[in-house]
Amino acid sequence: MNKDLTTDLLVVGGGAAGLCAAAEAAAAGVKVTVLDSDLHMGGQLVKQTHKFFGSKDEYAGTRGYKIAGILMDEIKELGDKIEMRVNTTCTGYYPEDGVYTAMKGEDEYYRIHAKKAVIATGAQERMLPFPNNDIPGVVGAGAVQTLMNVYGVLPGKKVLMVGAGNIGLIVSYQLTQAGVKVVGLVEAMPKIGGYWVHAAKIRRLGIPILLRHTILEAKGEDYVTGAVISEIDDKFQPIGKPQEIDCDVICMAVGLTPTTEIFWQAGAKMQFVPQLCGHVPFRDKTMRTSNPDLWVAGDAAGIEEASSAMVEGRIAGYSAAKALGKKMDAKKFDEYWARLDHLRAGEVGTKIRAGIAQVMVEGWEA
C-alpha cells in the first residue's frame, strides 16, 4: 500500500544519535518522524550490557540498554510530537524533489516529504577476506551481541574472536559471562586497540590474546568446525607454522564502516577519512552537511563512542530545529560542544580530532 507522509524533521536511525536528535528537536516544538529498520528503537544501545564511560551528562556508569530506556522515556514525555516507525527502512532520497522513500517490512511503501532531515544511520560491520568466510559460524560481533543480549541465544560453544578492539574485548567478556568458551583473541596489530580496563578482564579470565596474528582460513564445509591462524610480520604476511584452532564460531570484530548511502544520494560533499573509518560527509559545527537540508550525527559522521554520538545528535537536532524557525538558546549549543570536546580530549581522542579536522568547515557558502 502506497502512502505519502509529511513531517517537519525526518530522523533516519533510532539509535543513540537519532533518539537524541529527535528529542532535542521535538522539545523545541518540531514535528519529528523517526525511522529505524530494527524491530525496536535504541540501535546498538539495546545490546550493550556493559557500563559506559564518558561523563555524567552521557550517563557514565550506566549500562547501555538502560540508557536506551532513559532516552525512550524522554521521547515518551514529548507525546505526539514524535512519531516512531520501527521495521522501516529508508530506501532512498531523491534530491530533485526532496522526497525520501521507505519500506515498512516488505509490504508498505512510503514517500516522505520532510523539510529537514538528520541522518543517523550508524555503521555496518567490516569483514575480512579468507577461505570459507561465508559459511555458517563466521559472524560479526554485533550479530553475536544481538543473539545473546537481545534474544538470549548462544551463538555456539567455542568462539575464536578476531580483533582486540573495544568491541572484541567486550563481546569476549560477555560470551564468557554467558557460559561460552572463548578460545582466544587474534589481533593483527602489535598491541590491543581497546581500553586496558576491558583487556584486563579478559586476561584475568585466562583468555589468550595473540598479537600480530591473523586468521588464514575457516575450517568446515556446512558450518565452522575450526580455524587456521598464523603469526604475521610487519607487512601483515604470515610467518612461521600455521596453527589450527578448535572452535565452532569465528566472531569478527575488525571494525565498523559509516553507513552513508543517503549522503551520496543527496549529493553531499564526502571524503574518505581513515581516522573516522570510511567515507563521511563534510559538516559545519551545527552538523549540517553541504546539502542544506541534511544534518549528520553518530557513527554516520565517523566511528566514535556512543557518548559522543548522543551529543552529536543533540547538536544536530538543536540545529535542525533552529533552521526550521524555532527559537533556540545559544548557551545550550555552546554547552553541547563543550561536552563533546571533553569527550574527545586526551590521548584517546587524538585520532578522532585529527579525522574531524579534515571534514569540518567554518560554514557553507550561500
Side-chain angles (χ1 to χ4, degrees):
M1 180 171 61
N2 293 350
K3 294 181 179 179
D4 274 17
L5 303 176
T6 301
T7 188
D8 291 334
L9 179 66
L10 176 67
V11 176
V12 183
L19 291 180
C20 286
E24 193 71 21
V30 174
K31 177 184 177 183
V32 182
T33 300
V34 184
L35 307 182
D36 197 276
S37 58
D38 268 337
L39 299 177
H40 47 72
M41 293 289 173
Q44 299 302 304
L45 290 174
V46 300
K47 63 180 77 168
Q48 306 294 345
T49 59
H50 61 281
K51 293 181 179 179
F52 273 41
F53 296 119
S55 66
K56 62 180 180 62
D57 291 317
E58 281 67 58
Y59 315 108
T62 305
R63 300 186 188 279
Y65 71 92
K66 290 187 176 180
I67 296 174
I70 292 170
L71 295 179
M72 287 304 298
D73 287 342
E74 182 181 356
I75 295 286
K76 291 174 183 176
E77 289 178 1
L78 293 165
D80 59 3
K81 292 179 182 177
I82 302 179
E83 181 183 11
M84 314 288 277
R85 292 178 173 265
V86 296
N87 193 27
T88 302
T89 301
C90 183
T91 55
Y93 173 65
Y94 300 87
E96 60 271 18
D97 54 8
V99 169
Y100 299 82
T101 56
M103 285 289 297
K104 181 175 182 180
E106 298 179 357
D107 303 319
E108 295 185 52
Y109 171 78
Y110 296 92
R111 286 168 49 91
I112 303 172
H113 303 268
K115 296 175 183 176
K116 306 292 180 184
V118 173
I119 310 301
T121 41
Q124 49 198 311
E125 291 189 281
R126 291 177 177 173
M127 299 296 281
L128 292 178
F130 54 84
N132 266 358
N133 73 342
D134 59 346
I135 63 174
V138 180
V139 294
V144 167
Q145 281 190 307
T146 300
L147 282 172
M148 288 197 307
N149 300 344
V150 178
Y151 298 111
V153 176
L154 296 181
K157 296 180 179 179
K158 295 181 180 179
V159 175
L160 174 68
M161 182 66 64
V162 181
N166 278 326
I167 294 177
L169 296 170
I170 290 169
V171 174
S172 294
Y173 185 71
Q174 292 174 348
L175 282 162
T176 305
Q177 285 181 309
V180 177
K181 181 176 179 59
V182 179
V183 297
L185 275 78
V186 173
E187 171 56 55
M189 302 304 290
K191 63 179 182 179
I192 63 167
Y195 296 143
W196 282 105
V197 64
H198 298 315
K201 291 180 180 179
I202 299 305
R203 294 305 297 268
R204 286 198 297 270
L205 291 169
I207 300 172
I209 300 176
L210 304 175
L211 301 176
R212 288 193 178 277
H213 279 70
T214 191
I215 183 168
L216 298 181
E217 178 186 357
K219 304 294 288 186
E221 294 184 6
D222 298 323
Y223 49 85
V224 169
T225 59
V228 179
I229 66 172
S230 174
E231 187 178 0
I232 55 177
D233 60 20
D234 291 342
K235 296 182 179 179
F236 299 98
Q237 297 302 308
I239 56 175
K241 183 179 180 180
Q243 178 183 356
E244 188 162 333
I245 302 293
D246 178 25
C247 61
D248 57 5
V249 173
I250 299 170
C251 184
M252 306 299 296
V254 292
L256 303 169
T257 300
T259 303
T260 56
E261 288 84 354
I262 292 177
F263 297 107
W264 291 104
Q265 293 174 345
K269 184 180 179 182
M270 307 286 289
Q271 180 165 310
F272 181 82
V273 182
Q275 297 94 328
L276 302 181
C277 303
H279 282 93
V280 294
F282 283 77
R283 78 295 303 259
D284 62 16
K285 289 201 73 170
T286 73
M287 301 306 295
R288 185 167 75 84
T289 69
S290 63
N291 183 310
D293 296 326
L294 266 66
W295 282 256
V296 63
D299 280 349
I303 306 303
E304 274 192 88
E305 297 290 335
S307 299
S308 297
M310 286 187 275
V311 185
E312 283 189 341
R314 297 284 179 190
I315 293 170
Y318 170 104
S319 303
K322 185 176 180 180
L324 287 164
K326 303 300 180 182
K327 187 175 181 180
M328 308 299 288
D329 182 359
K331 291 182 180 179
K332 182 182 284 190
F333 182 84
D334 293 338
E335 176 195 332
Y336 287 149
W337 263 105
R339 282 159 55 176
L340 194 53
D341 288 340
H342 174 72
L343 290 169
R344 292 170 175 164
E347 183 181 351
V348 174
T350 301
K351 183 181 79 168
I352 296 298
R353 295 195 304 272
I356 290 171
Q358 298 179 48
V359 288
M360 181 66 72
V361 300
E362 288 297 324
W364 298 106
E365 293 183 5

